[in-house]
Amino acid sequence: DLLCMCLVHGPTPVSVATERATAMLADARANPGLRANVMAALAELKAMQKSFDEARELLGDARQTYEQLGLRLGLVGVMQVQGLVELLAGDAGEAERAFREGYELIAVELPTWRAYQAGLLAEALYEQDRLDEARLLIETGEPDQLDDLENIFGWAVVKARLLARAGAADEGEELLRDIAARAAQ
């Protein structure tokens, strides 16, 4: 799973990452959980290449596997990737549906993920110009601390965009500079 994350979010060119993930998928036949993880990563890579139907098919298979195995966190991960795929496809409404499902599955049980999930859902709302809803989600999903950079980055970006639209661009820029300084450390 960590290798998949590195392939999707790291410096590897998408075409090379896709080849590697495809090979990993073939090797994961005997492990359904691993296979679902690789399918989700491969789906995001396919979406980056604008192969949205193939990405959706992979996500459907991964979702079915996680449901059969009763892996709730895996299911939330698939909803995250599905939302990202739909944003890449230009369908913020479908992205909202996927992110909202993931948010409702996990945000209460795992508060450390609340800001991350809220940031994803708020991004889809923002893209639909539903700023009041996005703002409310950002306010209610505000993290207790700004130290968990991985989980708060998306939240902070949407918050900064909302601040800028409300005439407080300096405050939004200050938030992002703070996050960047923490990341640099």
Side-chain angles (χ1 to χ4, degrees), residues 51-83:
S51 297
F52 301 114
D53 290 338
E54 192 173 353
R56 291 177 184 116
E57 185 177 325
L58 286 162
L59 288 170
D61 291 346
R63 180 183 180 129
Q64 184 177 23
T65 299
Y66 287 133
E67 287 172 345
Q68 289 171 346
L69 296 173
L71 297 175
R72 192 174 171 117
L73 289 178
L75 193 55
V76 171
V78 164
M79 295 296 94
Q80 292 169 355
V81 175
Q82 184 175 354

Side-chain angles (χ1 to χ4, degrees), residues 111-140:
T112 56
W113 279 22
R114 186 179 65 238
Y116 182 73
Q117 291 293 131
L120 291 172
L121 181 51
E123 175 69 20
L125 294 169
Y126 184 93
E127 290 299 321
Q128 296 174 72
D129 208 30
R130 291 164 51 195
L131 304 182
D132 290 338
E133 292 173 79
R135 189 174 295 104
L136 179 62
L137 197 56
I138 289 299
E139 290 169 2
T140 60

